[in-house]
């Protein structure tokens, strides 16, 4: 993906290390890198919906100096880090990456948002004859879980012609994602998504290069260093995009 996306004009996350589950020294390599970097993000080389992804950071209050956070439970937990990492690596190979930091644009829109990186979900369709291939766009701000709940998002539709954030559409089945109740997030409405023109250009090029796929759902992180392409999916859920279109 990295070599392809560079030609489209968009970057991908920086991978520091790829570790194979058969490597007996993999856990010690990761822990050494964590102490050097301060914080790491690890994700399986194959997987979906964040399963198996976790982060490690330096924690002076921990017995081994590190803490772990999983994708489903966003609190930092003190565990026996080497044992935890070894257990995860026994299942699948992993990519070890630097964490992504959101574009500074989002700093003033922080109430209820857990400060993880903001992402943009864009769906392109190659069968939109004579039209721009972008069909749908949605801004996703990770929301701080309430009462031990799982990760959820503030969801704000984006106008595909202007790149400006639209008023949230919040049906009853999207309980817990109500951005309209938050004054800081309401202030996002009407703002243009950072890097919008460059993102559209890159993903349009990307879909042209993958013209055999009718529809692609792209996940783009909006980072301090510019847009970063996380992945493209040919199979994806349509309920949420259809409700917000």
């Amino acid at each position: 993906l990295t070599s392809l996306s560079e030609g489209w004009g968009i970057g991908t996350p920086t991978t520091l290390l790829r570790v194979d589950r058969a490597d007996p020294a993999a856990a010690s390599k990761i822990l050494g890198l964590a102490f050097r970097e301060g914080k790491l993000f690890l994700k399986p080389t194959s997987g979906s919906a964040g399963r198996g992804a976790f982060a490690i950071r330096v924690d002076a209050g921990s017995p081994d100096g590190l803490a772990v956070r999983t994708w489903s439970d966003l609190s930092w937990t003190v565990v026996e880090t080497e044992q935890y990492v070894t257990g995860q690596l026994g299942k699948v190979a992993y990519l070890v990456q630097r964490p992504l930091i959101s574009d500074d644009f989002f700093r003033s829109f922080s109430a209820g948002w857990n400060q993880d990186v903001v992402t943009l979900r864009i769906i392109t369709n190659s069968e939109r004859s004579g039209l721009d291939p972008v069909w749908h766009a949605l801004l996703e701000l990770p929301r701080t879980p309430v009462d031990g709940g799982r990760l959820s998002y503030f969801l704000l539709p984006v106008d595909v012609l202007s790149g400006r954030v639209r008023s949230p559409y919040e049906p009853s089945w999207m309980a817990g994602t109500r951005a309209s109740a938050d004054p800081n997030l309401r202030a996002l409405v009407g703002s243009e998504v950072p890097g919008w023109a460059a993102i559209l250009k890159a993903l349009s090029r990307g879909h042209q290069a993958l013209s055999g796929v009718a529809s692609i759902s792209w996940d783009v992180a909006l980072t301090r260093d510019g847009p970063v392409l996380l992945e493209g999916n040919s199979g994806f859920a349509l309920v949420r995009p259809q409700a917000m279109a």
Side-chain angles (χ1 to χ4, degrees):
L1 178 62
T2 299
S3 58
L4 287 172
S5 67
E6 286 176 351
W8 306 338
I10 190 169
T12 55
T14 300
T15 296
L16 302 172
L17 186 67
R18 184 190 188 280
V19 291
D20 190 273
R21 60 181 177 174
D23 181 358
S28 60
K29 290 177 183 177
I30 291 170
L31 298 190
L33 193 58
F35 280 114
R36 191 158 64 248
E37 292 284 327
K39 189 176 179 181
L40 295 174
F41 176 68
L42 296 90
K43 64 182 180 183
T45 53
S46 61
S48 63
R51 295 183 184 91
F54 64 99
I56 303 174
R57 75 173 182 187
V58 171
D59 186 330
S62 166
D64 62 8
L66 296 168
V68 169
R69 189 178 75 161
T70 66
W71 193 247
S72 58
D73 177 8
L74 292 181
S75 60
W76 288 96
T77 307
V78 173
V79 295
E80 206 296 308
T81 312
E82 185 167 5
Q83 182 178 341
Y84 179 86
V85 171
T86 300
Q88 292 299 112
L89 296 179
K91 303 171 186 176
V92 67
Y94 267 80
L95 298 178
V96 183
Q97 301 175 336
R98 287 194 178 102
L100 300 173
I101 301 174
S102 283
D103 190 293
D104 289 340
F105 170 78
F106 294 103
R107 285 192 174 210
S108 60
F109 307 105
S110 58
W113 167 39
N114 71 5
Q115 300 298 308
D116 282 340
V117 68
V118 174
T119 56
L120 186 66
R121 167 64 61 92
I122 293 184
I123 299 176
T124 56
N125 187 296
S126 62
E127 298 175 353
R128 287 168 58 86
S129 179
L131 300 172
D132 188 286
V134 175
W135 169 58
H136 171 81
L138 178 68
L139 196 64
E140 302 176 321
L141 289 87
R143 176 180 177 272
T144 302
V146 177
D147 298 328
R150 293 175 64 84
L151 175 67
S152 61
Y153 295 88
F154 289 121
L155 304 170
L156 296 97
V158 177
D159 181 81
V160 297
L161 297 179
S162 66
R164 297 191 178 279
V165 178
R166 292 164 45 198
S167 297
Y169 176 79
E170 296 166 329
S172 58
W173 50 264
M174 284 173 57
T177 63
R178 297 189 178 280
S180 61
D182 188 298
N184 284 338
L185 292 174
R186 276 206 310 272
L188 268 171
V189 175
S191 301
E192 184 175 331
V193 172
W196 177 255
I199 293 169
L200 286 197
K201 188 174 183 180
L203 298 188
S204 294
R205 287 175 175 171
H207 205 142
Q208 289 172 9
L210 303 170
S211 56
V213 183
S215 296
I216 302 176
S217 178
W218 308 90
D219 288 328
V220 178
L222 302 175
T223 81
R224 186 176 290 174
D225 299 317
V228 173
L229 178 61
L230 301 178
E231 62 181 356
N233 301 284
S234 59
F236 52 91
L238 285 174
V239 174
R240 184 177 294 167
Q242 285 174 340
M244 294 201 163

